[in-house]
Amino acid sequence: GNSVTQMEGPVTLSEEAFLTINCTYTATGYPSLFWYVQYPGEGLQLLLKATKADDKGSNKGFEATYRKETTSFHLEKGSVQVSDSAVYFCALSVSSGNTGKLIFGQGTTLQVKP
Amino acid sequence: DTGVSQNPRHKITKRGQNVTFRCDPISEHNRLYWYRQTLGQGPEFLTYFQNEAQLEKSRLLSDRFSAERPKGSFSTLEIQRTEQGDSAMYLCASSQGADNSPLHFGNGTRLTVT
């Protein structure tokens, strides 16, 4: 079946530190991959996406590269800020049937301290 | 674009009672999704509408759950004879329906069954 596994949190970093949140997936077919972010008290928001192998998604200083050979989509940011504190969800969408349905990982909480 | 709106924000009910939640998607979006999220977990897919047609239902959606989207606009999710295990955040999302269109999420309805 289709599934997403994320590194467990919480991840606690100091401001300006380098961030990596690991995400691996299992999928039939050719999935699109997404990172969603949930800030405190807000709904889930799309952070970035990649639709095919070797694509790099980027937004707000965050990046993730779709690695088919390692079935991974790790999220990175070179210098985190306190305002990046949130829960980050990795997700996939399998194109077969084209429902657009997303399958999410369990989420990783990031806490950035000043 | 006023975003996806969900009502109520919070609902506390006694076991055995029925509850109904409403979701108003972004107006031009023809796809609508319901998800359930429990503490520390990622959202789990419940059901999906393309316009007014309910095209997919998860096995998580027991026969106590029913969702409708009359006229392809707003949607309701009803839970009959609530159980304590139904306590969760219920999320609604909508999308334009094109391949890999991002899902736009509402802030959710938090249900507590006592």
Side-chain angles (χ1 to χ4, degrees):
Chain A
N2 302 313
S3 66
V4 175
T5 302
Q6 294 180 230
M7 64 186 288
E8 289 195 18
V11 174
T12 302
L13 296 173
S14 298
E15 209 164 19
E16 300 183 1
F18 184 86
L19 168 71
T20 300
I21 300 178
N22 290 339
C23 170
T24 57
Y25 67 89
T26 302
T28 54
Y30 302 95
S32 295
L33 301 173
F34 304 82
W35 277 99
Y36 277 77
V37 59
Q38 189 169 32
Y39 297 103
E42 298 184 17
L44 284 156
Q45 303 172 24
L46 177 66
L47 181 60
L48 54 84
K49 69 176 185 181
T51 58
K52 61 184 188 295
D54 299 325
D55 270 2
K56 178 185 283 188
S58 61
N59 186 27
K60 299 181 181 180
F62 291 89
E63 293 184 339
T65 301
Y66 187 165
R67 302 285 189 200
K68 187 177 177 182
E69 63 277 12
T70 54
T71 62
S72 65
F73 193 54
H74 304 322
L75 182 69
E76 296 182 336
K77 186 175 186 182
S79 176
V80 294
Q81 305 301 312
V82 172
S83 58
D84 294 326
S85 298
V87 183
Y88 292 82
F89 293 93
C90 185
L92 68 82
S93 174
V94 180
S95 58
S96 173
N98 196 26
T99 68
K101 176 178 75 177
L102 291 176
I103 296 168
F104 287 88
Q106 76 271 31
T108 302
T109 299
L110 170 65
Q111 299 172 338
V112 180
K113 298 187 174 180
Chain B
D1 180 357
T2 57
V4 177
S5 176
Q6 291 188 247
N7 288 288
R9 290 295 302 273
H10 304 275
K11 178 70 177 179
I12 300 173
T13 191
K14 293 185 178 180
R15 189 175 54 188
Q17 298 295 304
N18 299 344
V19 294
T20 299
F21 310 140
R22 177 178 170 124
C23 171
D24 288 273
I26 293 171
S27 58
E28 63 268 25
H29 287 182
N30 57 14
R31 290 185 174 180
L32 187 146
Y33 306 80
W34 285 99
Y35 282 80
R36 180 170 66 189
Q37 185 178 17
T38 53
L39 198 62
Q41 300 298 315
E44 296 174 299
F45 171 78
L46 293 179
T47 190
Y48 150 69
F49 291 84
Q50 174 96 17
N51 299 312
E52 67 276 10
Q54 188 174 18
L55 297 184
E56 186 173 347
K57 292 167 57 173
S58 164
R59 280 172 285 184
L60 293 174
L61 212 65
S62 76
D63 56 6
R64 296 184 298 105
F65 288 69
S66 62
E68 295 182 343
R69 194 184 182 197
K71 304 178 183 178
S73 56
F74 72 92
S75 177
T76 58
L77 177 68
E78 181 183 16
I79 309 174
Q80 296 181 328
R81 304 181 304 281
T82 53
E83 301 172 358
Q84 287 186 322
D86 297 332
S87 296
M89 178 75 84
Y90 289 85
L91 301 173
C92 178
S94 68
S95 76
Q96 286 185 318
D99 285 1
N100 301 312
S101 295
L103 270 59
H104 297 257
F105 283 84
N107 287 348
T109 294
R110 181 169 295 285
L111 173 66
T112 301
V113 182
T114 62

